[in-house]
Amino acid sequence: MSTPGPYRAIFAAPGSKAFSAAGFVGRMTLSMTGIGLVTMVSELTGRYGLAGALSATLALSAAAIGPQLSRLVDRHGQRRVLRPATLVALAAIAGLLLSAHRGWPDWTLFAFAASAGCVPSVGSMVRARWAAVHQDAPRELHAAYAWESIVDEACFILGPVISIGLSTAWFPEAGPLLAACFLAAGVFSLTAQRATEPVPHPREHHTGGSALRSRGLRVLVATFVAIGAIFGAVDVVTVAFAEDEGHKAAASLVLAVYALGSCLAGAVFGLLRLGGSVSRRWLLGICAIAVSMIPLQLVGNLPFLAVALFVAGLSVAPTMVTTMALVERHVPRAHLTEGMTWVSTGLAVGVALGSSAAGWVVDAAGARAGYAVPAVAGALAAAVAFPGYRRLRPAPQREGSADGRQDRKDRAEQRVA
C-alpha cells in the first residue's frame, strides 16, 4: 500500500490545497478562544468561576447559532453568509476583550460572549467543499474526511499551547486576540475561493425543513452530546489530576498526547480501503470510545495517564470520519452543511455539560473520582448508539448522492440484522 496515495489523490483536485489550508487557519480559533478566554479572565480578575461561566456561555451560544448559520449557507452560499457573520463575531470578541481590559460590569462580558457565538463552523464549511469536489468518488471522500479529522486534532494540539502561552507570557488578552485574527484570516481566505464553493440550494429545495428531520441525524447528534461530555470532562479532570500530582503545567502535554493518538489514528484510517456497513463501523467506534474510558479509572500517575489517553485517542478520529460519512448519506445535499454543523453542535453542548459535571465531581470528591464522569458519558453514548443504530438506514438516493449502490447494500444488511 502506497502510504501517501489517498491523500495525494484528494489534493489533485484544483483548489483543494488552498481551501483546506484556509480551513486550518480558521479552525484554530475553535481550540484557542475558549481556553484563551478562561486564561484571560483568570489572569485579569483571578475569578475562575466567572471565566468558566463565560466560556460556557460562548460555547452554548455557538451551539445555538451555528446550525442556523449553516442553514443559511446551504441556501445562499458560503461567501454571502460567512463574511457578515464573521464581522459580527469579530466585533463581539473585540467588545469582550475591551470589557475585560477595562473592568466593565460582568453583564457586559456575558453579552459580548453570547454575541461572539456567531462564529461560523469552519470545519463544516471545508467538509462541504470536499463533498462537492469528490461527490462521485467515495474513496477520495473518505480520505478527505480523514484528512480534516487530522487537521482538527492538529488544531487542538497547537491551539491551547499558543493561546495559554501568549496570555500568560505577553498580555492576558493576547490569546483570544490571536484567535480572532486566525478566524478573520481563515474565513475571508476561504470565502475568496469561489471556484470550490458548493452551489447553494434555493428555498424551494428546503421544503423538508431542518436537517434534524432526519432520524439518522438525530441519533448522531444525541450520541455526540455524550461524546462531547467525554471530551469536556477529560480536559477538566486531567488538569485537576496534574495539579494534584504537583505538575499542573504537564496537563497540556498529556492532553496533547490524547489529541496525538487521535491524529495518528485518523491518518492511518484515511489510508484504508474499508468495506462493509458504515453504520456498523460507526457503532463499533462509539463502543471503542466508551470502553477506552475504563482504564482512566485506574490512573495512578501522569505517565500512566498519558498512555491511557493516547490509547483512548486512537478511536476518536476514525469515529469522527465515519460520522461525517453517515451525515453525508442521511442528509439531503441541500442541507449538508447544516447537518454537519448539528453534529458539531451536539459535541459542543456535550463539552459544556461534561466540563460542568466534572468540575463539580472534582470539587466534591477529588480528581481521581472525576474520571468517573467520562466513563458514565461513554456508557450513555453506547446506550444511545445501540438502539439508534437501527435508525441509521441510508436515506433514499438523493440528488448528488455518490453511493446509491452502497446505500442499498447497507439497507439489505440491516434488514438481515
Side-chain angles (χ1 to χ4, degrees):
M1 181 175 59
S2 177
T3 299
Y7 297 118
R8 183 186 296 125
I10 65 172
F11 286 112
S16 57
K17 292 179 181 178
F19 74 68
S20 184
F24 171 75
V25 174
R27 264 178 290 181
M28 284 293 289
T29 188
L30 180 65
S31 63
M32 293 177 64
T33 304
I35 192 67
L37 182 59
V38 170
T39 307
M40 176 189 73
V41 173
S42 62
E43 287 282 311
L44 290 173
T45 69
R47 298 167 62 189
Y48 283 91
L50 174 62
L54 286 171
S55 181
T57 299
L58 176 63
L60 293 176
S61 174
I65 298 173
Q68 311 313 318
L69 287 177
S70 294
R71 192 174 186 183
L72 291 174
V73 166
D74 283 328
R75 289 186 179 182
H76 304 293
Q78 293 186 0
R79 182 186 180 93
R80 290 183 62 186
V81 176
L82 298 190
R83 289 194 167 189
T86 299
L87 290 176
V88 172
L90 292 174
I93 293 172
L96 181 58
L97 299 186
L98 183 62
S99 299
H101 180 73
R102 293 192 172 273
W104 290 352
D106 290 352
W107 69 265
T108 61
L109 297 174
F110 284 99
F112 283 123
S115 301
C118 200
V119 175
S121 177
V122 179
S124 298
M125 306 303 156
V126 175
R127 287 180 171 92
R129 290 190 180 226
W130 282 120
V133 168
H134 295 301
Q135 60 181 325
D136 297 320
R139 171 71 180 129
E140 283 74 14
L141 189 57
H142 167 78
Y145 286 157
W147 172 257
E148 292 306 318
S149 291
I150 295 170
V151 173
D152 283 338
E153 299 303 335
C155 289
F156 278 95
I157 291 172
L158 298 173
V161 175
I162 296 173
S163 189
I164 295 172
L166 287 177
S167 290
T168 54
W170 197 6
F171 57 91
E173 300 88 354
L177 179 61
L178 182 59
C181 293
F182 277 135
L183 176 65
V187 169
F188 281 87
S189 174
L190 181 68
T191 53
Q193 301 171 41
R194 304 299 297 276
T196 55
E197 181 177 351
V199 177
H201 298 267
R203 182 180 295 271
E204 55 266 24
H205 292 182
H206 293 259
T207 55
S210 171
L212 275 180
R213 291 175 64 91
S214 164
R215 297 187 309 165
L217 181 61
R218 291 199 296 269
V219 170
L220 297 175
V221 172
T223 305
F224 267 72
V225 171
I227 296 297
I230 292 175
F231 298 158
V234 166
D235 285 352
V236 170
V237 181
T238 298
V239 172
F241 182 81
E243 185 173 14
D244 282 356
E245 293 291 301
H247 301 285
K248 185 176 181 180
S252 61
L253 298 178
V254 174
L255 292 173
V257 169
Y258 188 24
L260 179 63
S262 178
C263 185
L264 294 177
V268 173
F269 191 71
L271 301 174
L272 302 178
R273 190 178 297 272
L274 301 169
S277 168
V278 176
S279 55
R280 187 169 299 159
R281 194 156 62 240
W282 174 82
L283 180 62
L284 290 175
I286 296 297
C287 292
I289 291 176
V291 170
S292 71
M293 294 297 105
I294 296 175
L296 299 183
Q297 315 309 308
L298 307 175
V299 295
N301 53 59
L302 286 174
F304 181 87
L305 176 60
V307 172
L309 285 178
F310 177 82
V311 174
L314 296 176
S315 56
V316 173
T319 306
M320 289 296 301
V321 174
T322 307
T323 300
M324 292 304 170
L326 283 171
V327 172
E328 200 271 337
R329 290 179 178 217
H330 283 270
V331 176
R333 194 162 297 281
H335 295 275
L336 183 57
T337 310
E338 181 194 352
M340 291 180 173
T341 304
W342 272 116
V343 173
S344 299
T345 294
L347 203 63
V349 171
V351 168
L353 295 174
S355 299
S356 300
W360 181 82
V361 172
V362 168
D363 286 341
R368 282 182 173 81
Y371 280 116
V373 176
V376 171
L380 289 174
V384 174
F386 267 104
Y389 163 74
R390 298 286 182 177
R391 294 190 176 186
L392 292 177
R393 300 178 185 275
Q397 188 171 356
R398 49 183 165 74
E399 179 187 359
S401 176
D403 205 10
R405 286 178 296 180
Q406 183 63 42
D407 286 352
R408 291 191 292 273
K409 179 180 177 182
D410 284 348
R411 284 197 295 272
E413 289 179 354
Q414 290 185 348
R415 281 196 298 270
V416 171

